[in-house]
Amino acid sequence: MAVLAYSPGKREINQYFTIKNAKLISLVVVIVLLVFHTASRYHGGDSCEWLLSRGRYLGENVWQPYGCMMHKYKSIEAKTCLAEKRVAFVGDSRIRQLFYSFVKIIEPERREDGNKHEDISFEEKSSSVNDFMWHPEANNSMKERLISWTHETSAKPDVVILGAATWSIKLHSGSSETLQQYKVNLTAIATYLERLAEHGEVYWVLQDPVNEKVLSENRKMITNQQLELYNDAAVDVLNSSKRNGKSRVKLLAASRQAALETITMSDDGLHLPESTRNVGAMVLMNSVCNKLLRPIDGSCCQTLPPPNIFQKLSACFFLGSAVVFLALHVLGNNHHRRPVPPDVESLEEKKPVTAAVPLGPKAPFQALCKMGIIMGYFYLCDRADVFMKEQKFYTHSTFFIPLIYIFVLGVFYNESSKETKLLNREQTDEWKGWMQLVILIYHISGASAFIPVYMHVRVLVAAYLFQTGYGHFSFFWLKGDFGLYRVCQVLFRLNFLVLVLCVVMDRPYQFYYFVPLVTFWFVIIYATLAMWPQILQKKANSRCQITGYYILHIFSVWPISKLFELNGSIHEWWFRWKLDRFAVIHGMLFAFIYLVLQKRQVLSEGKGEALFSAKISNMLLFLSVVSFITYSIWASSCKTKTECNEMHPYISVILAFILIRNIPGYARSIYSSFFAWFGKISLELFICQYHIWLAADTKGILVLIPGNPSLNIMVSTFIFVCVAHEVSLITNYLAQVVIPKDTVALLKRLGAMGLFSLVVLLLTRGNQPTPGA
């Protein structure tokens, strides 16, 4: 019964939920979300306000501001930001605690050794000065201090952080008269705060809650109800002191919101736990420094740079394509049929169902118009201040629960294979698909922080490179096609999206590290087999010899180095290459051995047949399972990523997986169409995730639906997959338009493209690279 219900249910899903309908829905959702976020930005404040006012705990000590990413500042960054700046803290003992937490960001070894009820000064060698002034009440004494700063321009602080209320409540037993006097005093003080804010930054710290149960007897009158009254008074007074409709004095309420969850851990009920104080200090550091240092993982309170000349030119290009498309559409040049593009990654080209119809001039511009719309979405997601971003936070549940979910779906959508050869096309698509989905979950959950998961995902990346060596070696061996046309097709398919993103998103080529890696290895495979020695099936009697090709010193020479630099260095390229430097070679060797065994009819690849004899099959399966278990134990025992990465190139369980997946005949006879579908767009999924699923160049998570993380992931994933699929279709189609089969025409285009690329490299030479991930 279950089987009978399964197939009709699956057919019904496929009938009504097509990829075309999904793309239309995603387009509507994007437009609605764009309108919503634009309106909310206009009426609901900016990321500076969100940083200072709202947030939540992701973990015990991880604070997430509402809608933006908070950078965790280190000492060197704090010193750079605060060089020759003076920061003044004014208030009571809780402000003094905040002062020490702030200073410890600059100098982590700093001890809290100042006298409790006196001024404290901290001067750093970089000329930054941080002072704490003891003013426990908002009274004339505090006002006189502020007045002196408005007159003494040379000693005026660049940043002022102040707050007070608990001493007023304590000394006057929380009387209503004292509250009224507090309002009067604060009104007088607000005038001078506004004057200071004209030339610097001023923050009023709202009062944190207390744990009334553990307060000492002489503090029992400091209740949360009283503190709320004083906070309301401060908000009313400071908001009413606005100039030109907006108060320059910023209200710091984030630490108060954090304290609501942690005040029960306070030792005396009044002073906050250190972790909560650190939240307030880091919020202040982000508010003061983000606009200056612009950390890539600190989107809060950060101004975005204007588009550069190449971004503007790309916008003009796509806009021009749209104009031409509309003009041709109006003129009626729409009699064409979209061809079925060849699958350049497979061994066989897909044959069109119908005869090819000559294309009209409208089709290429339509494809470019779609690409322009998609690039506009990319830019809005990760370069414009429209959509929100949040930081990653790893928990076992955020990684393993989605993992279980997708594997259940993968099992649900299983089909019978059309062929049962080892590593047939359907199986390799399935392999790419589930690996890509695991990598996506790994990235969005921040699972790289958990070393066992990190090491297993490293194997998946190596497996992609293994398939690169296996697939291309097999093609060249079987087909003997070393023509320039296919080479250009493959290189275009691999690099088109990345090269467009390099311009639109202002990223270096090496930033999308996987594409440079597979491009490099494809060129090496081609050069090895096409030039010397040439290995073809026609010459299979000659002995296979793969020549040495470690000529990597060329990557240190301009202009090659320009492509493989990240942050002005090729260190990232060396690191990525070294991690999986043997994977492609293993794939080529495996392909050679398999093709030789296949030709000698050693393998049994019939439907339902085990690949080897029963004895050999059982032994290989046992060894493969043991290899998997051994690797997992080793990966779990690694202490650091550096230690694991040193051993990773020499340890592989890829062959073990291939044997387990292919030795049993029944395993080769089925595949998951769910995983295979994703496998066909795995390259686009890997690249698109950088900007429209993740955010801040992979450092954070894109937030389309604020306040609901689960729904946000569902919506953003749906749009992300639709975009990746459409980009795949556009890329395959444009490859047919851009790469002509005529050799002379192709050489002319390659020459023009080479000249254009050289001009671009010359224009960008000497420019400082944009900070990368």
Side-chain angles (χ1 to χ4, degrees):
M1 291 297 292
V3 175
L4 292 176
Y6 162 75
S7 295
K10 187 170 59 175
R11 286 197 299 269
E12 187 174 347
I13 292 172
N14 293 337
Q15 179 180 357
Y16 294 103
F17 192 74
T18 63
I19 186 62
K20 182 178 180 181
N21 293 336
K23 289 175 183 176
L24 291 174
I25 293 170
S26 68
L27 179 61
V28 173
V29 171
V30 168
I31 294 172
V32 171
L33 289 173
L34 184 59
V35 172
F36 167 76
H37 280 273
T38 304
S40 64
R41 290 281 177 139
Y42 182 77
H43 297 287
D46 56 18
S47 60
C48 277
E49 191 174 319
W50 299 339
L51 169 69
L52 295 170
S53 60
R54 288 186 281 176
R56 69 185 191 278
Y57 274 107
L58 297 179
E60 184 177 347
N61 297 317
V62 180
W63 181 252
Q64 170 61 64
Y66 174 79
C68 64
M69 297 167 61
M70 187 170 74
H71 178 64
K72 188 174 181 180
Y73 276 89
K74 297 179 181 178
S75 175
I76 185 65
E77 296 171 311
K79 291 176 182 178
T80 302
C81 169
L82 301 175
E84 300 183 2
K85 282 189 178 182
R86 184 183 179 193
V87 182
F89 289 77
V90 182
D92 54 17
S93 58
R94 298 212 275 189
I95 297 296
R96 184 179 66 238
Q97 283 189 310
L98 183 61
F99 162 76
Y100 276 119
S101 294
F102 189 86
V103 166
K104 285 181 179 179
I105 299 175
I106 305 169
E107 188 178 298
E109 303 303 321
R110 174 75 176 186
R111 299 180 62 184
E112 301 182 20
D113 51 7
N115 294 327
K116 289 186 176 180
H117 295 169
E118 295 180 6
D119 295 350
I120 304 170
S121 181
F122 168 74
E123 187 170 350
E124 210 277 326
K125 294 178 181 178
S126 62
S127 300
S128 66
V129 178
N130 299 269
D131 296 316
F132 167 72
M133 284 80 172
W134 173 253
H135 291 282
E137 292 188 83
N139 54 19
N140 286 332
S141 175
M142 181 182 287
K143 185 175 73 171
E144 291 299 324
R145 174 75 72 173
L146 299 176
I147 291 173
S148 68
W149 285 336
T150 60
H151 293 158
E152 300 171 13
T153 56
S154 59
K156 186 181 300 181
D158 299 285
V159 183
V160 180
I161 300 106
L162 70 169
T166 56
W167 274 72
S168 298
I169 299 171
K170 175 184 174 181
L171 293 177
H172 303 281
S173 301
S175 66
S176 58
E177 292 81 4
T178 305
L179 178 60
Q180 292 303 319
Q181 187 61 45
Y182 179 83
K183 291 181 181 178
V184 173
N185 293 343
L186 198 55
T187 301
I189 288 172
T191 302
Y192 301 101
L193 292 178
E194 287 288 343
R195 290 182 186 177
L196 289 172
E198 291 177 1
H199 306 286
E201 297 183 60
V202 178
Y203 300 86
W204 182 269
V205 182
L206 295 182
Q207 293 299 302
D208 301 317
V210 295
N211 186 1
E212 298 177 13
K213 296 180 181 179
V214 298
L215 286 174
S216 60
E217 287 301 321
N218 63 339
R219 292 173 175 169
K220 285 294 185 182
M221 69 291 295
I222 307 175
T223 64
N224 287 317
Q225 183 179 4
Q226 283 285 326
L227 293 173
E228 283 300 312
L229 292 173
Y230 277 75
N231 280 336
D232 291 340
V235 172
D236 290 341
V237 170
L238 294 174
N239 284 338
S240 63
S241 67
K242 295 178 179 178
R243 293 189 177 186
N244 301 324
K246 185 176 181 180
S247 175
R248 292 190 178 94
V249 179
K250 302 173 183 178
L251 295 171
L252 176 57
S255 57
R256 173 182 172 274
Q257 189 171 356
L260 288 172
E261 300 183 37
T262 61
I263 191 61
T264 54
M265 294 184 288
S266 171
D267 294 331
D268 59 6
L270 178 67
H271 298 101
L272 300 179
E274 185 177 4
S275 60
T276 312
R277 287 183 274 139
N278 292 341
V279 168
M282 198 60 73
V283 166
L284 281 172
M285 191 68 75
N286 275 257
S287 181
V288 172
C289 296
N290 279 6
K291 62 179 72 68
L292 177 65
L293 299 186
R294 291 183 176 177
I296 192 65
D297 60 342
S299 64
C300 299
C301 207
Q302 184 178 158
T303 55
L304 296 173
N308 61 30
I309 183 63
F310 292 108
Q311 290 172 310
K312 291 177 181 177
L313 288 175
S314 65
C316 292
F317 174 78
F318 286 121
L319 186 61
S321 299
V323 171
V324 173
F325 167 70
L326 290 175
L328 292 174
H329 183 75
V330 171
L331 294 174
N333 289 320
N334 55 358
H335 301 293
H336 69 275
R337 181 177 299 169
R338 188 172 186 171
V340 178
D343 186 353
V344 299
E345 294 295 327
S346 64
L347 302 183
E348 299 289 342
E349 290 191 353
K350 295 179 179 178
K351 304 299 182 183
V353 178
T354 58
V357 178
L359 293 176
K362 176 181 168 183
F365 293 101
Q366 183 180 16
L368 290 173
C369 184
K370 289 181 178 180
M371 196 68 182
I373 294 172
I374 291 171
M375 288 300 105
Y377 179 62
F378 271 78
Y379 189 90
L380 290 174
C381 286
D382 212 21
R383 288 296 178 270
D385 194 18
V386 177
F387 297 116
M388 301 175 178
K389 303 174 178 67
E390 290 189 354
Q391 57 219 44
K392 303 175 187 178
F393 178 71
Y394 175 74
T395 62
H396 292 321
S397 60
T398 57
F399 177 75
F400 288 104
I401 290 177
L403 203 63
I404 294 170
Y405 178 72
I406 64 158
F407 274 99
V408 169
L409 284 175
V411 172
F412 177 75
Y413 280 92
N414 67 79
E415 306 281 351
S416 296
S417 298
K418 295 178 182 178
E419 57 176 322
T420 57
K421 291 183 179 180
L422 182 142
L423 287 183
N424 58 70
R425 179 62 179 176
E426 291 165 332
Q427 189 183 129
T428 54
D429 281 340
E430 174 200 83
W431 191 6
K432 290 179 183 178
W434 70 256
M435 287 196 303
Q436 184 57 62
L437 292 176
V438 171
I439 290 173
L440 291 176
I441 295 171
Y442 164 83
H443 282 158
I444 202 165
S445 64
S448 62
F450 187 47
I451 292 181
V453 172
Y454 168 81
M455 289 310 302
H456 283 84
V457 170
R458 287 255 51 86
V459 175
L460 301 188
V461 176
Y464 268 106
L465 294 172
F466 179 94
Q467 286 196 50
T468 297
Y470 171 82
H472 291 304
F473 182 94
S474 299
F475 179 89
F476 289 130
W477 175 280
L478 294 173
K479 296 292 184 179
D481 180 5
F482 294 97
L484 190 60
Y485 172 73
R486 183 183 182 273
V487 172
C488 292
Q489 284 273 315
V490 172
L491 293 177
F492 185 93
R493 170 76 170 83
L494 289 174
N495 290 275
F496 171 70
L497 175 58
V498 162
L499 293 178
V500 174
L501 287 177
C502 286
V503 176
V504 174
M505 306 304 289
D506 190 23
R507 293 286 84 189
Y509 181 60
Q510 180 56 35
F511 176 73
Y512 308 93
Y513 72 91
F514 187 74
V515 171
L517 204 55
V518 293
T519 300
F520 165 76
W521 281 115
F522 171 74
V523 172
I524 290 297
I525 293 169
Y526 176 80
T528 303
L529 299 181
M531 296 181 183
W532 182 79
Q534 190 178 57
I535 304 174
L536 303 175
Q537 189 181 26
K538 300 172 184 177
K539 301 179 180 180
N541 293 330
S542 64
R543 192 173 180 179
C544 176
Q545 178 183 0
I546 300 179
T547 62
Y549 44 75
Y550 293 104
I551 52 173
L552 296 174
H553 63 275
I554 64 172
F555 294 99
S556 302
V557 180
W558 190 90
I560 300 297
S561 62
K562 190 68 179 177
L563 294 175
F564 294 88
E565 285 180 357
L566 191 62
N567 298 328
S569 170
I570 61 170
H571 170 76
E572 178 72 9
W573 162 253
W574 289 111
F575 171 72
R576 296 292 181 182
W577 175 82
K578 286 175 65 178
L579 272 179
D580 302 301
R581 57 188 179 273
F582 302 126
V584 173
I585 301 173
H586 291 162
M588 296 170 67
L589 289 173
F590 179 83
F592 173 72
I593 294 171
Y594 166 64
L595 293 171
V596 170
L597 293 177
Q598 188 182 52
K599 184 173 183 179
R600 297 187 177 183
Q601 299 181 347
V602 174
L603 306 176
S604 301
E605 295 183 297
K607 192 174 183 66
E609 294 180 350
L611 202 60
F612 303 100
S613 64
K615 185 176 180 180
I616 295 177
S617 296
N618 292 334
M619 180 186 67
L620 291 176
L621 284 173
F622 174 76
L623 292 175
S624 299
V625 171
V626 170
S627 298
F628 262 113
I629 296 173
T630 304
Y631 180 84
S632 295
I633 293 173
W634 171 79
S636 302
S637 64
C638 271
K639 303 301 180 184
T640 65
K641 288 184 179 179
T642 303
E643 173 189 335
C644 294
N645 288 336
E646 286 297 323
M647 292 296 297
H648 168 73
Y650 307 100
I651 302 175
S652 177
V653 290
I654 298 173
L655 180 59
F657 167 78
I658 294 173
L659 293 176
I660 293 173
R661 182 68 179 84
N662 286 274
I663 285 178
Y666 62 84
R668 291 198 318 278
S669 301
I670 60 171
Y671 77 104
S672 170
S673 57
F674 175 81
F675 290 142
W677 188 88
F678 285 98
K680 292 174 182 176
I681 59 170
S682 60
L683 180 67
E684 288 73 21
L685 288 171
F686 187 86
I687 300 168
C688 289
Q689 68 168 320
Y690 278 66
H691 303 294
I692 62 170
W693 197 52
L694 303 174
D697 293 342
T698 75
K699 297 298 183 182
I701 299 171
L702 181 68
V703 178
L704 300 178
I705 310 293
N708 194 327
S710 299
L711 181 60
N712 175 67
I713 290 296
M714 293 171 62
V715 172
S716 64
T717 302
F718 175 70
I719 298 171
F720 158 59
V721 172
C722 291
V723 169
H725 187 272
E726 185 62 26
V727 169
S728 177
L729 294 180
I730 293 172
T731 303
N732 282 331
Y733 168 69
L734 289 178
Q736 308 309 303
V737 177
V738 175
I739 312 297
K741 290 189 175 181
D742 181 68
T743 304
V744 176
L746 178 56
L747 288 173
K748 289 180 180 178
R749 292 192 184 183
L750 289 176
M753 186 178 67
L755 182 62
F756 175 77
S757 301
L758 184 60
V759 170
V760 171
L761 285 172
L762 288 171
L763 289 175
T764 58
R765 189 177 187 182
N767 293 341
Q768 292 296 324
T770 304

